[in-house]
Amino acid sequence: MDLYIATRTDAPHLLKIGRSSNTRDRCRQLQTGHCFNIKMLAICRRTGACDKPRHRALRDYRLGNSEWLCVDMLTAVEPSLLHISEPTRPY
């Protein structure tokens, strides 16, 4: 599983942290039913297990009851996860 960080084109200051074994498909799933585009900012290979601890650590940054966080990238991800093994392209 990979950890991903995504943003919205209508609110680039909002981030979503999640995990998926297929980030391209996950991006398409997230896009369904929204009037904004979803853009993957980073994919951290083989770090999907960090998803739940990150969400717990960032609970104060949640935007209401949504899955989106009002947090900057450096706060959202531990420094050890910032190494991205492959360049990513927006989907």
Side-chain angles (χ1 to χ4, degrees), residues 4-24:
Y4 66 82
I5 302 169
T7 191
R8 303 164 37 161
T9 56
D10 70 325
H13 62 286
L14 298 178
L15 299 179
K16 177 176 178 4
I17 299 173
R19 65 184 178 146
S20 177
S21 58
N22 188 327
T23 52
R24 182 181 301 260

Side-chain angles (χ1 to χ4, degrees), residues 23-42:
T23 52
R24 182 181 301 260
D25 284 348
R26 182 62 181 136
C27 187
R28 285 188 199 119
Q29 290 170 350
L30 290 170
Q31 186 64 57
T32 302
H34 290 84
C35 59
F36 48 82
N37 290 322
I38 305 291
K39 178 181 168 186
M40 289 288 176
L41 296 178

